mmCIF file of all heavy atoms in Angstrom:
data_model
loop_
_atom_site.group_PDB
_atom_site.id
_atom_site.type_symbol
_atom_site.label_atom_id
_atom_site.label_comp_id
_atom_site.label_asym_id
_atom_site.label_seq_id
_atom_site.Cartn_x
_atom_site.Cartn_y
_atom_site.Cartn_z
ATOM 1 N N THR A 487 -11.535 -17.937 7.825
ATOM 2 C CA THR A 487 -11.707 -18.991 6.834
ATOM 3 C C THR A 487 -10.646 -18.753 5.766
ATOM 4 O O THR A 487 -10.693 -17.761 5.035
ATOM 5 C CB THR A 487 -13.102 -18.938 6.195
ATOM 6 O OG1 THR A 487 -14.092 -18.964 7.219
ATOM 7 C CG2 THR A 487 -13.311 -20.114 5.250
ATOM 8 N N ILE A 488 -9.663 -19.651 5.704
ATOM 9 C CA ILE A 488 -8.543 -19.462 4.790
ATOM 10 C C ILE A 488 -8.891 -20.017 3.409
ATOM 11 O O ILE A 488 -9.421 -21.115 3.276
ATOM 12 C CB ILE A 488 -7.272 -20.165 5.320
ATOM 13 C CG1 ILE A 488 -6.934 -19.654 6.734
ATOM 14 C CG2 ILE A 488 -6.090 -19.961 4.384
ATOM 15 C CD1 ILE A 488 -6.551 -18.203 6.795
ATOM 16 N N ASP A 489 -8.595 -19.245 2.378
ATOM 17 C CA ASP A 489 -8.787 -19.632 0.977
ATOM 18 C C ASP A 489 -10.179 -20.202 0.716
ATOM 19 O O ASP A 489 -10.338 -21.339 0.265
ATOM 20 C CB ASP A 489 -7.710 -20.630 0.554
ATOM 21 C CG ASP A 489 -6.326 -20.009 0.478
ATOM 22 O OD1 ASP A 489 -6.242 -18.773 0.329
ATOM 23 O OD2 ASP A 489 -5.332 -20.745 0.575
ATOM 24 N N PRO A 490 -11.216 -19.405 0.955
ATOM 25 C CA PRO A 490 -12.573 -19.880 0.682
ATOM 26 C C PRO A 490 -12.910 -19.949 -0.805
ATOM 27 O O PRO A 490 -13.913 -20.569 -1.179
ATOM 28 C CB PRO A 490 -13.444 -18.843 1.384
ATOM 29 C CG PRO A 490 -12.606 -17.599 1.375
ATOM 30 C CD PRO A 490 -11.189 -18.057 1.531
ATOM 31 N N LEU A 491 -12.086 -19.341 -1.639
ATOM 32 C CA LEU A 491 -12.308 -19.313 -3.082
ATOM 33 C C LEU A 491 -11.266 -20.181 -3.782
ATOM 34 O O LEU A 491 -10.141 -20.317 -3.309
ATOM 35 C CB LEU A 491 -12.218 -17.875 -3.604
ATOM 36 C CG LEU A 491 -13.360 -16.952 -3.150
ATOM 37 C CD1 LEU A 491 -12.905 -15.508 -3.126
ATOM 38 C CD2 LEU A 491 -14.573 -17.129 -4.058
ATOM 39 N N PRO A 492 -11.604 -20.770 -4.932
ATOM 40 C CA PRO A 492 -10.669 -21.681 -5.600
ATOM 41 C C PRO A 492 -9.548 -20.957 -6.337
ATOM 42 O O PRO A 492 -9.635 -19.769 -6.633
ATOM 43 C CB PRO A 492 -11.572 -22.434 -6.588
ATOM 44 C CG PRO A 492 -12.702 -21.496 -6.868
ATOM 45 C CD PRO A 492 -12.926 -20.736 -5.592
ATOM 46 N N ASP A 493 -8.484 -21.696 -6.643
ATOM 47 C CA ASP A 493 -7.382 -21.269 -7.503
ATOM 48 C C ASP A 493 -6.708 -19.991 -7.008
ATOM 49 O O ASP A 493 -6.372 -19.103 -7.792
ATOM 50 C CB ASP A 493 -7.861 -21.095 -8.949
ATOM 51 C CG ASP A 493 -6.710 -21.245 -9.949
ATOM 52 O OD1 ASP A 493 -5.656 -21.800 -9.571
ATOM 53 O OD2 ASP A 493 -6.860 -20.798 -11.090
ATOM 54 N N LEU A 494 -6.508 -19.916 -5.697
ATOM 55 C CA LEU A 494 -5.787 -18.803 -5.076
ATOM 56 C C LEU A 494 -6.414 -17.441 -5.383
ATOM 57 O O LEU A 494 -5.722 -16.426 -5.517
ATOM 58 C CB LEU A 494 -4.315 -18.815 -5.493
ATOM 59 C CG LEU A 494 -3.497 -20.016 -5.012
ATOM 60 C CD1 LEU A 494 -2.061 -19.918 -5.505
ATOM 61 C CD2 LEU A 494 -3.516 -20.140 -3.489
ATOM 62 N N GLN A 495 -7.742 -17.401 -5.493
ATOM 63 C CA GLN A 495 -8.426 -16.119 -5.575
ATOM 64 C C GLN A 495 -8.516 -15.510 -4.174
ATOM 65 O O GLN A 495 -8.615 -16.212 -3.178
ATOM 66 C CB GLN A 495 -9.836 -16.292 -6.134
ATOM 67 C CG GLN A 495 -9.889 -16.781 -7.572
ATOM 68 C CD GLN A 495 -11.311 -17.003 -8.040
ATOM 69 O OE1 GLN A 495 -12.070 -16.061 -8.211
ATOM 70 N NE2 GLN A 495 -11.676 -18.265 -8.233
ATOM 71 N N PHE A 496 -8.500 -14.195 -4.135
ATOM 72 C CA PHE A 496 -8.724 -13.514 -2.867
ATOM 73 C C PHE A 496 -10.093 -12.833 -2.910
ATOM 74 O O PHE A 496 -10.595 -12.495 -3.981
ATOM 75 C CB PHE A 496 -7.630 -12.481 -2.590
ATOM 76 C CG PHE A 496 -7.611 -11.311 -3.544
ATOM 77 C CD1 PHE A 496 -8.381 -10.184 -3.302
ATOM 78 C CD2 PHE A 496 -6.801 -11.329 -4.670
ATOM 79 C CE1 PHE A 496 -8.361 -9.100 -4.173
ATOM 80 C CE2 PHE A 496 -6.765 -10.253 -5.550
ATOM 81 C CZ PHE A 496 -7.555 -9.140 -5.300
ATOM 82 N N PRO A 497 -10.727 -12.637 -1.740
ATOM 83 C CA PRO A 497 -12.034 -11.968 -1.728
ATOM 84 C C PRO A 497 -11.885 -10.453 -1.818
ATOM 85 O O PRO A 497 -11.583 -9.784 -0.835
ATOM 86 C CB PRO A 497 -12.646 -12.398 -0.392
ATOM 87 C CG PRO A 497 -11.512 -12.837 0.455
ATOM 88 C CD PRO A 497 -10.372 -13.198 -0.437
ATOM 89 N N ARG A 498 -12.085 -9.922 -3.026
ATOM 90 C CA ARG A 498 -12.018 -8.467 -3.199
ATOM 91 C C ARG A 498 -13.265 -7.797 -2.630
ATOM 92 O O ARG A 498 -13.209 -6.659 -2.162
ATOM 93 C CB ARG A 498 -11.861 -8.116 -4.686
ATOM 94 C CG ARG A 498 -11.753 -6.608 -4.926
ATOM 95 C CD ARG A 498 -11.651 -6.264 -6.395
ATOM 96 N NE ARG A 498 -10.363 -6.586 -6.956
ATOM 97 C CZ ARG A 498 -9.288 -5.805 -6.888
ATOM 98 N NH1 ARG A 498 -9.338 -4.651 -6.239
ATOM 99 N NH2 ARG A 498 -8.159 -6.159 -7.462
ATOM 100 N N SER A 499 -14.402 -8.484 -2.693
ATOM 101 C CA SER A 499 -15.651 -7.888 -2.238
ATOM 102 C C SER A 499 -16.389 -8.859 -1.332
ATOM 103 O O SER A 499 -16.308 -10.082 -1.500
ATOM 104 C CB SER A 499 -16.527 -7.501 -3.426
ATOM 105 O OG SER A 499 -16.635 -8.571 -4.344
ATOM 106 N N VAL A 500 -17.110 -8.289 -0.343
ATOM 107 C CA VAL A 500 -17.848 -9.078 0.630
ATOM 108 C C VAL A 500 -19.241 -8.489 0.779
ATOM 109 O O VAL A 500 -19.402 -7.264 0.859
ATOM 110 C CB VAL A 500 -17.149 -9.095 2.003
ATOM 111 C CG1 VAL A 500 -17.898 -9.995 2.988
ATOM 112 C CG2 VAL A 500 -15.693 -9.542 1.873
ATOM 113 N N ALA A 501 -20.247 -9.359 0.810
ATOM 114 C CA ALA A 501 -21.628 -8.952 1.082
ATOM 115 C C ALA A 501 -22.166 -9.847 2.186
ATOM 116 O O ALA A 501 -21.600 -10.911 2.478
ATOM 117 C CB ALA A 501 -22.480 -9.080 -0.176
ATOM 118 N N THR A 502 -23.268 -9.434 2.802
ATOM 119 C CA THR A 502 -23.820 -10.259 3.872
ATOM 120 C C THR A 502 -25.326 -10.096 3.945
ATOM 121 O O THR A 502 -25.870 -9.010 3.691
ATOM 122 C CB THR A 502 -23.170 -9.914 5.227
ATOM 123 O OG1 THR A 502 -23.572 -10.878 6.203
ATOM 124 C CG2 THR A 502 -23.545 -8.520 5.701
ATOM 125 N N GLU A 503 -26.001 -11.176 4.285
ATOM 126 C CA GLU A 503 -27.434 -11.178 4.566
ATOM 127 C C GLU A 503 -27.710 -12.360 5.481
ATOM 128 O O GLU A 503 -27.171 -13.454 5.270
ATOM 129 C CB GLU A 503 -28.257 -11.287 3.276
ATOM 130 C CG GLU A 503 -29.745 -11.054 3.500
ATOM 131 C CD GLU A 503 -30.529 -10.954 2.201
ATOM 132 O OE1 GLU A 503 -30.321 -11.801 1.305
ATOM 133 O OE2 GLU A 503 -31.351 -10.029 2.078
ATOM 134 N N GLY A 504 -28.526 -12.122 6.499
ATOM 135 C CA GLY A 504 -28.769 -13.187 7.460
ATOM 136 C C GLY A 504 -27.501 -13.540 8.203
ATOM 137 O O GLY A 504 -26.793 -12.684 8.727
ATOM 138 N N THR A 505 -27.197 -14.819 8.227
ATOM 139 C CA THR A 505 -25.989 -15.288 8.921
ATOM 140 C C THR A 505 -24.885 -15.689 7.950
ATOM 141 O O THR A 505 -23.925 -16.353 8.342
ATOM 142 C CB THR A 505 -26.328 -16.487 9.818
ATOM 143 O OG1 THR A 505 -26.825 -17.557 9.002
ATOM 144 C CG2 THR A 505 -27.369 -16.117 10.855
ATOM 145 N N PHE A 506 -25.015 -15.250 6.705
ATOM 146 C CA PHE A 506 -24.060 -15.678 5.687
ATOM 147 C C PHE A 506 -23.235 -14.500 5.169
ATOM 148 O O PHE A 506 -23.701 -13.359 5.104
ATOM 149 C CB PHE A 506 -24.774 -16.351 4.516
ATOM 150 C CG PHE A 506 -25.493 -17.611 4.895
ATOM 151 C CD1 PHE A 506 -26.858 -17.605 5.118
ATOM 152 C CD2 PHE A 506 -24.789 -18.796 5.069
ATOM 153 C CE1 PHE A 506 -27.523 -18.762 5.486
ATOM 154 C CE2 PHE A 506 -25.444 -19.959 5.438
ATOM 155 C CZ PHE A 506 -26.809 -19.943 5.661
ATOM 156 N N ALA A 507 -22.017 -14.804 4.780
ATOM 157 C CA ALA A 507 -21.153 -13.869 4.069
ATOM 158 C C ALA A 507 -20.978 -14.380 2.648
ATOM 159 O O ALA A 507 -20.809 -15.583 2.423
ATOM 160 C CB ALA A 507 -19.797 -13.755 4.755
ATOM 161 N N TYR A 508 -21.008 -13.456 1.699
ATOM 162 C CA TYR A 508 -20.832 -13.805 0.291
ATOM 163 C C TYR A 508 -19.593 -13.092 -0.234
ATOM 164 O O TYR A 508 -19.423 -11.881 -0.027
ATOM 165 C CB TYR A 508 -22.072 -13.413 -0.518
ATOM 166 C CG TYR A 508 -23.325 -14.087 -0.014
ATOM 167 C CD1 TYR A 508 -24.191 -13.439 0.867
ATOM 168 C CD2 TYR A 508 -23.630 -15.395 -0.401
ATOM 169 C CE1 TYR A 508 -25.333 -14.065 1.346
ATOM 170 C CE2 TYR A 508 -24.774 -16.036 0.075
ATOM 171 C CZ TYR A 508 -25.605 -15.365 0.961
ATOM 172 O OH TYR A 508 -26.734 -16.006 1.440
ATOM 173 N N LEU A 509 -18.738 -13.830 -0.886
ATOM 174 C CA LEU A 509 -17.449 -13.310 -1.321
ATOM 175 C C LEU A 509 -17.364 -13.291 -2.840
ATOM 176 O O LEU A 509 -17.786 -14.243 -3.504
ATOM 177 C CB LEU A 509 -16.311 -14.174 -0.767
ATOM 178 C CG LEU A 509 -16.381 -14.566 0.713
ATOM 179 C CD1 LEU A 509 -15.189 -15.430 1.083
ATOM 180 C CD2 LEU A 509 -16.455 -13.338 1.592
ATOM 181 N N GLY A 510 -16.782 -12.219 -3.372
ATOM 182 C CA GLY A 510 -16.495 -12.125 -4.792
ATOM 183 C C GLY A 510 -15.000 -12.173 -5.015
ATOM 184 O O GLY A 510 -14.250 -11.383 -4.435
ATOM 185 N N GLY A 511 -14.545 -13.101 -5.850
ATOM 186 C CA GLY A 511 -13.122 -13.360 -5.989
ATOM 187 C C GLY A 511 -12.440 -12.562 -7.082
ATOM 188 O O GLY A 511 -13.054 -12.161 -8.070
ATOM 189 N N ASP A 512 -11.139 -12.368 -6.898
ATOM 190 C CA ASP A 512 -10.288 -11.750 -7.910
ATOM 191 C C ASP A 512 -8.926 -12.414 -7.807
ATOM 192 O O ASP A 512 -8.654 -13.191 -6.886
ATOM 193 C CB ASP A 512 -10.189 -10.250 -7.699
ATOM 194 C CG ASP A 512 -9.793 -9.499 -8.967
ATOM 195 O OD1 ASP A 512 -9.423 -10.157 -9.964
ATOM 196 O OD2 ASP A 512 -9.840 -8.257 -8.964
ATOM 197 N N ASN A 513 -8.041 -12.100 -8.748
ATOM 198 C CA ASN A 513 -6.738 -12.743 -8.779
ATOM 199 C C ASN A 513 -5.735 -11.828 -9.451
ATOM 200 O O ASN A 513 -5.992 -11.339 -10.563
ATOM 201 C CB ASN A 513 -6.816 -14.071 -9.536
ATOM 202 C CG ASN A 513 -5.850 -15.101 -8.988
ATOM 203 O OD1 ASN A 513 -4.718 -14.773 -8.658
ATOM 204 N ND2 ASN A 513 -6.301 -16.331 -8.875
#
Side-chain angles (χ1 to χ4, degrees):
T487 306
I488 304 295
D489 291 337
L491 292 153
D493 204 18
L494 295 179
Q495 295 177 69
F496 66 88
R498 181 182 287 276
S499 49
V500 183
T502 189
E503 190 171 46
T505 61
F506 297 100
Y508 301 97
L509 314 179
D512 202 351
N513 212 319

